[in-house]
Amino acid sequence: MSMTSNPRIIRGRSASDLHFGAAHTPAARIAYGLDRLVSNDKVFAECDLILYPGDITERLLPQPSQEAQVARNWMDRNIELAERHGTVLGVVEGTPMHDWFQSEYFVESNNIRGNKASLSYVKEVKIVYMEELGINVLFVPDEAHDTCQLTEIAVREALHQAGLEKVHLTIIHGQFRHQYPEHLRDTGMDFHDSDFYLSITEHFIFAGHVHTHSIYKRIVAQGSFERLHHGYEAPKGCVGFELHLDDPSKSKVWFIENHDAMIYKTFHVKGDNLQYEADRIRLLASQQPSGSFLRVKAKSGHPILPLIKEFKKELPMYNWTTDVEKEKKKTVQEIIPAKIKRARISIRPENIAELLKDRLEVLPENIQLDILNVLEKCK
């Protein structure tokens, strides 16, 4: 447990969007970074609460596979550390197409060890009272309901059932309007209501999903812990926090950078001086760590693009690619209703019968029962 002598002060860390199983950033590298900044004896000894707000995995990891084993070993370490130091763990389910409920292994790992760690793994809208810390924590998974508005209704109901007007913390996997550029805020995307969640949360809202770190009022987006592909040049890492239960105005949060995050760097070529641009790329490339992913971006037909073969020969310690800039065309953007945009559905044992309901109704009743019995055994 935290070394603080004041039980009314809670210290912790939060890391989200880990994405074990990403295409280019190795799972072992992600685990190594986490073990340096979060999942180690020193941090767990100093912290009362460790949070993981979703997207532990990138995709459904095959069993057995090296990525799955690395992810599970890392979850095992978290359970062992939580038990050893009396630290509370909070994990929320992320985007269905990423997590696939694979974070349930936290629960399995804890069960194997006799449930000695204080763990809250949540896959539905739920308020958890963490008795060891004396706080109420709201968990909101991604796509908990068809729309963010319906999710808000579920949150209001959870508050009502718990007899609460506010919670101390909210752990959510989802997006807020302020996290996107202005020109993308009214394009039909579905956003959570920042004012609502701020109004029901005393301290911080820790939000996973958007991979760029930001702090808006008390909404804290950790950003992704690692860089996963090109376009990820901003700092990566996690956040530390300190909650003052008697005076929320004194609560604080800070960013902890993962300085060893994988490098994905793009060299934009605008000039026509081929020799100058090639030398500039060679110089900048040589300053990057071995294994970095480097990309040369230029307009179609630019003479720098064929030189990628030479760069690969001269500097084979890097992963080289090219990106051809597309000509900007004036287009009329169609505004797509949020509900249509969120029509992506994850098929799971819990919802497959409902998804097949219309098709089952046209079959004879005895065949319907046989199919439903088979589906029930799949759960």
Side-chain angles (χ1 to χ4, degrees):
M1 188 67 86
S2 166
M3 294 188 296
T4 178
S5 59
N6 188 344
R8 302 294 292 170
I9 297 177
I10 295 172
R11 292 179 176 141
R13 289 198 181 181
S14 182
S16 71
D17 297 274
L18 314 182
H19 291 278
F20 283 104
H24 300 300
T25 303
R29 185 187 185 100
I30 296 172
Y32 170 75
L34 286 163
D35 287 346
R36 283 189 303 102
L37 298 186
V38 185
S39 44
N40 61 64
D41 280 297
K42 184 177 185 297
V43 171
F44 269 68
E46 294 174 349
C47 290
D48 308 288
L49 178 61
I50 299 291
L51 300 170
Y52 296 115
D55 281 5
I56 300 296
T57 56
E58 165 70 11
R59 55 190 166 82
L60 187 60
L61 302 179
Q63 297 286 353
S65 70
Q66 183 179 9
E67 298 149 319
Q69 192 60 53
V70 169
R72 288 192 164 199
N73 288 345
W74 175 79
M75 291 186 220
D76 285 334
R77 285 198 295 280
N78 274 269
I79 294 299
E80 292 168 359
L81 288 164
E83 176 187 344
R84 186 180 307 146
H85 299 287
T87 310
V88 179
L89 274 175
V91 183
V92 71
E93 187 72 10
T95 304
M97 67 178 292
H98 289 310
D99 269 346
W100 288 94
F101 300 107
Q102 293 172 103
S103 297
E104 285 197 61
Y105 184 74
F106 279 107
V107 178
E108 183 180 336
S109 179
N110 200 22
N111 287 341
I112 292 171
R113 291 163 175 76
N115 290 311
K116 295 178 181 179
S118 179
L119 167 70
S120 293
Y121 162 67
V122 184
K123 52 186 178 181
E124 59 192 12
V125 173
K126 185 178 181 180
I127 294 173
V128 174
Y129 177 66
M130 295 182 171
E131 186 175 0
E132 300 90 342
L133 306 177
I135 60 174
N136 289 293
V137 180
L138 168 65
F139 289 88
V140 182
D142 193 18
E143 299 183 28
H145 295 274
D146 286 344
T147 66
C148 292
Q149 188 173 12
L150 289 175
T151 298
E152 182 179 319
I153 292 172
V155 170
R156 291 181 185 274
E157 178 61 22
L159 288 166
H160 175 72
Q161 292 294 331
L164 298 171
E165 293 184 359
K166 291 187 175 186
V167 293
H168 294 90
L169 290 175
T170 292
I171 317 302
I172 187 171
H173 195 90
Q175 60 198 15
F176 293 89
R177 190 179 300 274
H178 68 266
Q179 294 178 288
Y180 286 79
E182 286 190 15
H183 70 280
L184 293 177
R185 295 177 184 177
D186 297 310
T187 56
M189 298 176 71
D190 199 14
F191 296 107
H192 290 290
D193 184 345
S194 57
D195 290 336
F196 168 69
Y197 285 97
L198 286 166
S199 72
I200 64 164
T201 307
E202 289 187 21
H203 298 270
F204 299 115
I205 298 109
F206 290 108
H209 189 59
V210 175
H211 288 192
T212 303
H213 168 63
S214 66
I215 298 178
Y216 171 78
K217 297 182 179 179
R218 288 177 288 109
I219 300 176
V220 181
Q222 298 86 182
S224 58
F225 183 79
E226 253 284 3
R227 296 189 184 94
L228 306 171
H229 51 68
H230 281 292
Y232 281 63
E233 296 193 16
K236 298 298 172 183
C238 59
V239 297
F241 60 88
E242 189 174 276
L243 310 180
H244 290 250
L245 300 186
D246 294 327
D247 187 356
S249 68
K250 293 183 179 179
S251 293
K252 54 188 177 182
V253 64
W254 58 93
F255 183 64
I256 302 169
E257 185 173 352
N258 176 11
H259 291 285
D260 291 330
M262 179 71 81
I263 298 296
Y264 289 84
K265 193 165 186 63
T266 299
F267 303 123
H268 296 268
V269 176
K270 302 290 185 181
D272 295 325
N273 187 327
L274 182 60
Q275 188 63 54
Y276 168 79
E277 294 293 353
D279 289 343
R280 181 177 68 89
I281 289 172
R282 290 186 180 98
L283 176 62
L284 293 174
S286 66
Q287 298 170 1
Q288 310 306 318
S290 179
S292 297
F293 288 80
L294 306 181
R295 179 173 66 171
V296 178
K297 187 170 185 177
K299 290 182 179 180
S300 177
H302 196 291
I304 197 71
L305 296 175
L307 281 183
I308 196 72
K309 294 180 180 179
E310 299 303 318
F311 294 145
K312 289 180 178 179
K313 292 178 181 177
E314 293 174 27
L315 301 165
M317 69 289 293
Y318 304 118
N319 300 284
W320 291 92
T321 56
T322 59
D323 185 21
V324 178
E325 288 185 5
K326 297 179 180 178
E327 292 185 11
K328 294 183 179 179
K329 296 180 180 180
K330 293 184 179 180
T331 58
V332 178
Q333 187 168 9
E334 181 182 1
I335 303 301
I336 303 174
K339 190 168 184 179
I340 295 176
K341 274 205 165 189
R342 293 174 61 85
R344 182 184 67 220
I345 297 173
S346 297
I347 300 174
R348 304 186 296 274
E350 295 83 359
N351 68 357
I352 191 169
E354 182 66 24
L355 295 175
L356 294 175
K357 182 179 178 182
D358 293 340
R359 297 191 179 189
L360 289 176
E361 287 177 349
V362 302
L363 300 174
E365 186 175 350
N366 63 320
I367 296 179
Q368 289 185 41
L369 291 174
D370 288 342
I371 294 174
L372 290 172
N373 287 334
V374 172
L375 293 176
E376 184 64 30
K377 292 178 182 178
C378 292
K379 291 185 178 180

PDB file of all heavy atoms in Angstrom, residues 231-261:
ATOM      1  N   GLY A 231       2.083   8.250 -37.669  1.00  0.00           N
ATOM      2  CA  GLY A 231       1.115   9.238 -37.196  1.00  0.00           C
ATOM      3  C   GLY A 231       1.182   9.408 -35.693  1.00  0.00           C
ATOM      4  O   GLY A 231       0.553  10.290 -35.131  1.00  0.00           O
ATOM      5  N   TYR A 232       1.989   8.557 -35.050  1.00  0.00           N
ATOM      6  CA  TYR A 232       2.149   8.581 -33.595  1.00  0.00           C
ATOM      7  C   TYR A 232       3.498   9.211 -33.245  1.00  0.00           C
ATOM      8  O   TYR A 232       4.415   8.528 -32.849  1.00  0.00           O
ATOM      9  CB  TYR A 232       2.121   7.162 -33.035  1.00  0.00           C
ATOM     10  CG  TYR A 232       0.756   6.538 -32.900  1.00  0.00           C
ATOM     11  CD1 TYR A 232      -0.030   6.304 -34.013  1.00  0.00           C
ATOM     12  CD2 TYR A 232       0.265   6.158 -31.657  1.00  0.00           C
ATOM     13  CE1 TYR A 232      -1.277   5.719 -33.897  1.00  0.00           C
ATOM     14  CE2 TYR A 232      -0.978   5.575 -31.535  1.00  0.00           C
ATOM     15  CZ  TYR A 232      -1.744   5.359 -32.653  1.00  0.00           C
ATOM     16  OH  TYR A 232      -2.976   4.785 -32.530  1.00  0.00           O
ATOM     17  N   GLU A 233       3.623  10.506 -33.387  1.00  0.00           N
ATOM     18  CA  GLU A 233       4.909  11.139 -33.081  1.00  0.00           C
ATOM     19  C   GLU A 233       4.868  11.927 -31.777  1.00  0.00           C
ATOM     20  O   GLU A 233       5.901  12.388 -31.294  1.00  0.00           O
ATOM     21  CB  GLU A 233       5.346  12.026 -34.256  1.00  0.00           C
ATOM     22  CG  GLU A 233       5.606  11.213 -35.522  1.00  0.00           C
ATOM     23  CD  GLU A 233       6.332  11.985 -36.610  1.00  0.00           C
ATOM     24  OE1 GLU A 233       6.900  13.040 -36.304  1.00  0.00           O
ATOM     25  OE2 GLU A 233       6.324  11.506 -37.771  1.00  0.00           O
ATOM     26  N   ALA A 234       3.675  12.074 -31.187  1.00  0.00           N
ATOM     27  CA  ALA A 234       3.548  12.789 -29.916  1.00  0.00           C
ATOM     28  C   ALA A 234       4.069  11.912 -28.774  1.00  0.00           C
ATOM     29  O   ALA A 234       4.172  10.690 -28.914  1.00  0.00           O
ATOM     30  CB  ALA A 234       2.088  13.163 -29.669  1.00  0.00           C
ATOM     31  N   PRO A 235       4.423  12.513 -27.638  1.00  0.00           N
ATOM     32  CA  PRO A 235       4.881  11.730 -26.483  1.00  0.00           C
ATOM     33  C   PRO A 235       3.848  10.698 -26.044  1.00  0.00           C
ATOM     34  O   PRO A 235       2.632  10.950 -26.089  1.00  0.00           O
ATOM     35  CB  PRO A 235       5.098  12.797 -25.399  1.00  0.00           C
ATOM     36  CG  PRO A 235       5.352  14.053 -26.153  1.00  0.00           C
ATOM     37  CD  PRO A 235       4.478  13.967 -27.377  1.00  0.00           C
ATOM     38  N   LYS A 236       4.326   9.558 -25.595  1.00  0.00           N
ATOM     39  CA  LYS A 236       3.471   8.466 -25.110  1.00  0.00           C
ATOM     40  C   LYS A 236       3.820   8.156 -23.668  1.00  0.00           C
ATOM     41  O   LYS A 236       4.921   8.445 -23.196  1.00  0.00           O
ATOM     42  CB  LYS A 236       3.663   7.226 -25.984  1.00  0.00           C
ATOM     43  CG  LYS A 236       3.255   7.437 -27.436  1.00  0.00           C
ATOM     44  CD  LYS A 236       1.782   7.754 -27.547  1.00  0.00           C
ATOM     45  CE  LYS A 236       1.396   8.160 -28.953  1.00  0.00           C
ATOM     46  NZ  LYS A 236      -0.020   8.528 -29.047  1.00  0.00           N
ATOM     47  N   GLY A 237       2.890   7.506 -22.962  1.00  0.00           N
ATOM     48  CA  GLY A 237       3.165   7.152 -21.574  1.00  0.00           C
ATOM     49  C   GLY A 237       1.905   6.902 -20.782  1.00  0.00           C
ATOM     50  O   GLY A 237       0.907   6.397 -21.311  1.00  0.00           O
ATOM     51  N   CYS A 238       1.924   7.279 -19.511  1.00  0.00           N
ATOM     52  CA  CYS A 238       0.793   7.068 -18.607  1.00  0.00           C
ATOM     53  C   CYS A 238       0.664   8.312 -17.732  1.00  0.00           C
ATOM     54  O   CYS A 238       1.337   9.307 -17.960  1.00  0.00           O
ATOM     55  CB  CYS A 238       1.025   5.817 -17.759  1.00  0.00           C
ATOM     56  SG  CYS A 238       2.518   5.882 -16.741  1.00  0.00           S
ATOM     57  N   VAL A 239      -0.227   8.259 -16.746  1.00  0.00           N
ATOM     58  CA  VAL A 239      -0.370   9.402 -15.839  1.00  0.00           C
ATOM     59  C   VAL A 239      -0.265   8.928 -14.395  1.00  0.00           C
ATOM     60  O   VAL A 239      -0.630   7.796 -14.059  1.00  0.00           O
ATOM     61  CB  VAL A 239      -1.704  10.158 -16.044  1.00  0.00           C
ATOM     62  CG1 VAL A 239      -1.778  10.763 -17.435  1.00  0.00           C
ATOM     63  CG2 VAL A 239      -2.903   9.262 -15.768  1.00  0.00           C
ATOM     64  N   GLY A 240       0.247   9.799 -13.555  1.00  0.00           N
ATOM     65  CA  GLY A 240       0.219   9.583 -12.110  1.00  0.00           C
ATOM     66  C   GLY A 240      -0.827  10.522 -11.520  1.00  0.00           C
ATOM     67  O   GLY A 240      -1.135  11.565 -12.107  1.00  0.00           O
ATOM     68  N   PHE A 241      -1.381  10.166 -10.380  1.00  0.00           N
ATOM     69  CA  PHE A 241      -2.387  11.029  -9.770  1.00  0.00           C
ATOM     70  C   PHE A 241      -2.355  10.927  -8.258  1.00  0.00           C
ATOM     71  O   PHE A 241      -1.837   9.962  -7.686  1.00  0.00           O
ATOM     72  CB  PHE A 241      -3.790  10.708 -10.292  1.00  0.00           C
ATOM     73  CG  PHE A 241      -4.262   9.294 -10.021  1.00  0.00           C
ATOM     74  CD1 PHE A 241      -4.910   8.951  -8.840  1.00  0.00           C
ATOM     75  CD2 PHE A 241      -4.055   8.302 -10.977  1.00  0.00           C
ATOM     76  CE1 PHE A 241      -5.345   7.656  -8.609  1.00  0.00           C
ATOM     77  CE2 PHE A 241      -4.482   6.997 -10.755  1.00  0.00           C
ATOM     78  CZ  PHE A 241      -5.128   6.673  -9.573  1.00  0.00           C
ATOM     79  N   GLU A 242      -2.903  11.942  -7.633  1.00  0.00           N
ATOM     80  CA  GLU A 242      -3.028  12.000  -6.183  1.00  0.00           C
ATOM     81  C   GLU A 242      -4.395  12.589  -5.853  1.00  0.00           C
ATOM     82  O   GLU A 242      -4.714  13.706  -6.262  1.00  0.00           O
ATOM     83  CB  GLU A 242      -1.922  12.866  -5.592  1.00  0.00           C
ATOM     84  CG  GLU A 242      -1.815  12.825  -4.084  1.00  0.00           C
ATOM     85  CD  GLU A 242      -0.615  13.589  -3.566  1.00  0.00           C
ATOM     86  OE1 GLU A 242       0.497  13.015  -3.536  1.00  0.00           O
ATOM     87  OE2 GLU A 242      -0.794  14.775  -3.206  1.00  0.00           O
ATOM     88  N   LEU A 243      -5.206  11.822  -5.150  1.00  0.00           N
ATOM     89  CA  LEU A 243      -6.554  12.257  -4.789  1.00  0.00           C
ATOM     90  C   LEU A 243      -6.582  12.721  -3.338  1.00  0.00           C
ATOM     91  O   LEU A 243      -6.161  11.982  -2.447  1.00  0.00           O
ATOM     92  CB  LEU A 243      -7.566  11.121  -4.979  1.00  0.00           C
ATOM     93  CG  LEU A 243      -7.563  10.374  -6.315  1.00  0.00           C
ATOM     94  CD1 LEU A 243      -8.640   9.296  -6.309  1.00  0.00           C
ATOM     95  CD2 LEU A 243      -7.744  11.322  -7.478  1.00  0.00           C
ATOM     96  N   HIS A 244      -7.054  13.929  -3.114  1.00  0.00           N
ATOM     97  CA  HIS A 244      -7.257  14.443  -1.760  1.00  0.00           C
ATOM     98  C   HIS A 244      -8.750  14.346  -1.470  1.00  0.00           C
ATOM     99  O   HIS A 244      -9.532  15.197  -1.902  1.00  0.00           O
ATOM    100  CB  HIS A 244      -6.754  15.885  -1.651  1.00  0.00           C
ATOM    101  CG  HIS A 244      -5.270  15.999  -1.725  1.00  0.00           C
ATOM    102  ND1 HIS A 244      -4.486  16.355  -0.638  1.00  0.00           N
ATOM    103  CD2 HIS A 244      -4.394  15.777  -2.748  1.00  0.00           C
ATOM    104  CE1 HIS A 244      -3.211  16.353  -0.990  1.00  0.00           C
ATOM    105  NE2 HIS A 244      -3.132  16.011  -2.273  1.00  0.00           N
ATOM    106  N   LEU A 245      -9.148  13.307  -0.757  1.00  0.00           N
ATOM    107  CA  LEU A 245     -10.568  13.028  -0.567  1.00  0.00           C
ATOM    108  C   LEU A 245     -11.288  14.135   0.193  1.00  0.00           C
ATOM    109  O   LEU A 245     -12.471  14.375  -0.032  1.00  0.00           O
ATOM    110  CB  LEU A 245     -10.749  11.688   0.156  1.00  0.00           C
ATOM    111  CG  LEU A 245     -10.176  10.455  -0.565  1.00  0.00           C
ATOM    112  CD1 LEU A 245     -10.548   9.181   0.181  1.00  0.00           C
ATOM    113  CD2 LEU A 245     -10.669  10.379  -2.006  1.00  0.00           C
ATOM    114  N   ASP A 246     -10.599  14.815   1.092  1.00  0.00           N
ATOM    115  CA  ASP A 246     -11.235  15.872   1.867  1.00  0.00           C
ATOM    116  C   ASP A 246     -11.308  17.198   1.128  1.00  0.00           C
ATOM    117  O   ASP A 246     -12.069  18.082   1.507  1.00  0.00           O
ATOM    118  CB  ASP A 246     -10.492  16.076   3.199  1.00  0.00           C
ATOM    119  CG  ASP A 246     -10.611  14.861   4.108  1.00  0.00           C
ATOM    120  OD1 ASP A 246     -11.673  14.194   4.055  1.00  0.00           O
ATOM    121  OD2 ASP A 246      -9.659  14.580   4.852  1.00  0.00           O
ATOM    122  N   ASP A 247     -10.521  17.345   0.078  1.00  0.00           N
ATOM    123  CA  ASP A 247     -10.505  18.600  -0.685  1.00  0.00           C
ATOM    124  C   ASP A 247     -10.135  18.299  -2.132  1.00  0.00           C
ATOM    125  O   ASP A 247      -8.960  18.356  -2.509  1.00  0.00           O
ATOM    126  CB  ASP A 247      -9.500  19.584  -0.082  1.00  0.00           C
ATOM    127  CG  ASP A 247      -9.577  20.957  -0.734  1.00  0.00           C
ATOM    128  OD1 ASP A 247     -10.355  21.124  -1.694  1.00  0.00           O
ATOM    129  OD2 ASP A 247      -8.852  21.864  -0.270  1.00  0.00           O
ATOM    130  N   PRO A 248     -11.146  17.974  -2.977  1.00  0.00           N
ATOM    131  CA  PRO A 248     -10.870  17.623  -4.380  1.00  0.00           C
ATOM    132  C   PRO A 248     -10.086  18.684  -5.141  1.00  0.00           C
ATOM    133  O   PRO A 248      -9.399  18.369  -6.119  1.00  0.00           O
ATOM    134  CB  PRO A 248     -12.279  17.455  -4.971  1.00  0.00           C
ATOM    135  CG  PRO A 248     -13.126  17.055  -3.799  1.00  0.00           C
ATOM    136  CD  PRO A 248     -12.566  17.837  -2.637  1.00  0.00           C
ATOM    137  N   SER A 249     -10.150  19.935  -4.702  1.00  0.00           N
ATOM    138  CA  SER A 249      -9.417  20.994  -5.402  1.00  0.00           C
ATOM    139  C   SER A 249      -7.901  20.793  -5.300  1.00  0.00           C
ATOM    140  O   SER A 249      -7.141  21.354  -6.091  1.00  0.00           O
ATOM    141  CB  SER A 249      -9.793  22.368  -4.841  1.00  0.00           C
ATOM    142  OG  SER A 249      -9.329  22.520  -3.506  1.00  0.00           O
ATOM    143  N   LYS A 250      -7.465  20.008  -4.319  1.00  0.00           N
ATOM    144  CA  LYS A 250      -6.041  19.725  -4.148  1.00  0.00           C
ATOM    145  C   LYS A 250      -5.588  18.484  -4.917  1.00  0.00           C
ATOM    146  O   LYS A 250      -4.389  18.195  -4.987  1.00  0.00           O
ATOM    147  CB  LYS A 250      -5.706  19.555  -2.661  1.00  0.00           C
ATOM    148  CG  LYS A 250      -5.849  20.827  -1.840  1.00  0.00           C
ATOM    149  CD  LYS A 250      -5.430  20.581  -0.397  1.00  0.00           C
ATOM    150  CE  LYS A 250      -5.538  21.847   0.440  1.00  0.00           C
ATOM    151  NZ  LYS A 250      -5.149  21.614   1.852  1.00  0.00           N
ATOM    152  N   SER A 251      -6.529  17.737  -5.472  1.00  0.00           N
ATOM    153  CA  SER A 251      -6.163  16.545  -6.252  1.00  0.00           C
ATOM    154  C   SER A 251      -5.375  16.967  -7.478  1.00  0.00           C
ATOM    155  O   SER A 251      -5.623  18.019  -8.063  1.00  0.00           O
ATOM    156  CB  SER A 251      -7.429  15.787  -6.670  1.00  0.00           C
ATOM    157  OG  SER A 251      -8.073  15.235  -5.537  1.00  0.00           O
ATOM    158  N   LYS A 252      -4.414  16.150  -7.861  1.00  0.00           N
ATOM    159  CA  LYS A 252      -3.562  16.515  -8.989  1.00  0.00           C
ATOM    160  C   LYS A 252      -3.244  15.301  -9.848  1.00  0.00           C
ATOM    161  O   LYS A 252      -3.320  14.152  -9.409  1.00  0.00           O
ATOM    162  CB  LYS A 252      -2.280  17.177  -8.498  1.00  0.00           C
ATOM    163  CG  LYS A 252      -1.494  16.374  -7.472  1.00  0.00           C
ATOM    164  CD  LYS A 252      -0.338  17.210  -6.904  1.00  0.00           C
ATOM    165  CE  LYS A 252       0.410  16.433  -5.820  1.00  0.00           C
ATOM    166  NZ  LYS A 252       1.506  17.240  -5.225  1.00  0.00           N
ATOM    167  N   VAL A 253      -2.877  15.588 -11.090  1.00  0.00           N
ATOM    168  CA  VAL A 253      -2.537  14.546 -12.054  1.00  0.00           C
ATOM    169  C   VAL A 253      -1.389  15.049 -12.917  1.00  0.00           C
ATOM    170  O   VAL A 253      -1.273  16.260 -13.163  1.00  0.00           O
ATOM    171  CB  VAL A 253      -3.768  14.175 -12.915  1.00  0.00           C
ATOM    172  CG1 VAL A 253      -4.220  15.355 -13.760  1.00  0.00           C
ATOM    173  CG2 VAL A 253      -3.486  12.951 -13.778  1.00  0.00           C
ATOM    174  N   TRP A 254      -0.516  14.134 -13.368  1.00  0.00           N
ATOM    175  CA  TRP A 254       0.625  14.536 -14.177  1.00  0.00           C
ATOM    176  C   TRP A 254       0.965  13.433 -15.180  1.00  0.00           C
ATOM    177  O   TRP A 254       0.674  12.262 -14.957  1.00  0.00           O
ATOM    178  CB  TRP A 254       1.837  14.854 -13.295  1.00  0.00           C
ATOM    179  CG  TRP A 254       2.288  13.723 -12.424  1.00  0.00           C
ATOM    180  CD1 TRP A 254       3.240  12.794 -12.708  1.00  0.00           C
ATOM    181  CD2 TRP A 254       1.774  13.385 -11.114  1.00  0.00           C
ATOM    182  NE1 TRP A 254       3.363  11.902 -11.675  1.00  0.00           N
ATOM    183  CE2 TRP A 254       2.480  12.249 -10.678  1.00  0.00           C
ATOM    184  CE3 TRP A 254       0.797  13.950 -10.274  1.00  0.00           C
ATOM    185  CZ2 TRP A 254       2.231  11.644  -9.440  1.00  0.00           C
ATOM    186  CZ3 TRP A 254       0.545  13.360  -9.051  1.00  0.00           C
ATOM    187  CH2 TRP A 254       1.263  12.221  -8.645  1.00  0.00           C
ATOM    188  N   PHE A 255       1.574  13.841 -16.271  1.00  0.00           N
ATOM    189  CA  PHE A 255       1.938  12.909 -17.336  1.00  0.00           C
ATOM    190  C   PHE A 255       3.317  12.312 -17.067  1.00  0.00           C
ATOM    191  O   PHE A 255       4.242  13.012 -16.638  1.00  0.00           O
ATOM    192  CB  PHE A 255       1.950  13.633 -18.683  1.00  0.00           C
ATOM    193  CG  PHE A 255       2.256  12.743 -19.861  1.00  0.00           C
ATOM    194  CD1 PHE A 255       1.398  11.720 -20.217  1.00  0.00           C
ATOM    195  CD2 PHE A 255       3.398  12.949 -20.627  1.00  0.00           C
ATOM    196  CE1 PHE A 255       1.670  10.898 -21.304  1.00  0.00           C
ATOM    197  CE2 PHE A 255       3.686  12.141 -21.718  1.00  0.00           C
ATOM    198  CZ  PHE A 255       2.815  11.119 -22.059  1.00  0.00           C
ATOM    199  N   ILE A 256       3.452  11.010 -17.306  1.00  0.00           N
ATOM    200  CA  ILE A 256       4.729  10.302 -17.152  1.00  0.00           C
ATOM    201  C   ILE A 256       5.094   9.737 -18.515  1.00  0.00           C
ATOM    202  O   ILE A 256       4.451   8.815 -19.006  1.00  0.00           O
ATOM    203  CB  ILE A 256       4.621   9.171 -16.114  1.00  0.00           C
ATOM    204  CG1 ILE A 256       4.185   9.734 -14.754  1.00  0.00           C
ATOM    205  CG2 ILE A 256       5.945   8.427 -15.988  1.00  0.00           C
ATOM    206  CD1 ILE A 256       3.808   8.670 -13.741  1.00  0.00           C
ATOM    207  N   GLU A 257       6.112  10.300 -19.141  1.00  0.00           N
ATOM    208  CA  GLU A 257       6.424   9.925 -20.521  1.00  0.00           C
ATOM    209  C   GLU A 257       7.180   8.611 -20.604  1.00  0.00           C
ATOM    210  O   GLU A 257       8.080   8.329 -19.807  1.00  0.00           O
ATOM    211  CB  GLU A 257       7.241  11.025 -21.203  1.00  0.00           C
ATOM    212  CG  GLU A 257       7.486  10.752 -22.677  1.00  0.00           C
ATOM    213  CD  GLU A 257       8.148  11.899 -23.401  1.00  0.00           C
ATOM    214  OE1 GLU A 257       8.294  12.991 -22.789  1.00  0.00           O
ATOM    215  OE2 GLU A 257       8.515  11.717 -24.581  1.00  0.00           O
ATOM    216  N   ASN A 258       6.797   7.820 -21.590  1.00  0.00           N
ATOM    217  CA  ASN A 258       7.520   6.599 -21.939  1.00  0.00           C
ATOM    218  C   ASN A 258       8.590   6.993 -22.956  1.00  0.00           C
ATOM    219  O   ASN A 258       8.356   7.002 -24.171  1.00  0.00           O
ATOM    220  CB  ASN A 258       6.556   5.563 -22.530  1.00  0.00           C
ATOM    221  CG  ASN A 258       7.271   4.307 -23.000  1.00  0.00           C
ATOM    222  OD1 ASN A 258       8.447   4.103 -22.718  1.00  0.00           O
ATOM    223  ND2 ASN A 258       6.557   3.455 -23.719  1.00  0.00           N
ATOM    224  N   HIS A 259       9.778   7.337 -22.463  1.00  0.00           N
ATOM    225  CA  HIS A 259      10.833   7.851 -23.329  1.00  0.00           C
ATOM    226  C   HIS A 259      11.377   6.795 -24.287  1.00  0.00           C
ATOM    227  O   HIS A 259      12.034   7.140 -25.278  1.00  0.00           O
ATOM    228  CB  HIS A 259      11.984   8.411 -22.477  1.00  0.00           C
ATOM    229  CG  HIS A 259      11.627   9.662 -21.740  1.00  0.00           C
ATOM    230  ND1 HIS A 259      11.514  10.881 -22.363  1.00  0.00           N
ATOM    231  CD2 HIS A 259      11.333   9.882 -20.419  1.00  0.00           C
ATOM    232  CE1 HIS A 259      11.183  11.804 -21.474  1.00  0.00           C
ATOM    233  NE2 HIS A 259      11.058  11.226 -20.285  1.00  0.00           N
ATOM    234  N   ASP A 260      11.117   5.525 -24.002  1.00  0.00           N
ATOM    235  CA  ASP A 260      11.611   4.458 -24.861  1.00  0.00           C
ATOM    236  C   ASP A 260      10.554   3.945 -25.834  1.00  0.00           C
ATOM    237  O   ASP A 260      10.695   2.853 -26.397  1.00  0.00           O
ATOM    238  CB  ASP A 260      12.131   3.291 -24.012  1.00  0.00           C
ATOM    239  CG  ASP A 260      13.400   3.656 -23.264  1.00  0.00           C
ATOM    240  OD1 ASP A 260      14.159   4.489 -23.778  1.00  0.00           O
ATOM    241  OD2 ASP A 260      13.622   3.120 -22.156  1.00  0.00           O
ATOM    242  N   ALA A 261       9.488   4.728 -26.016  1.00  0.00           N
ATOM    243  CA  ALA A 261       8.438   4.307 -26.948  1.00  0.00           C
ATOM    244  C   ALA A 261       9.011   4.156 -28.360  1.00  0.00           C
ATOM    245  O   ALA A 261       9.934   4.869 -28.755  1.00  0.00           O
ATOM    246  CB  ALA A 261       7.295   5.317 -26.953  1.00  0.00           C
TER     247      ALA A 261
END
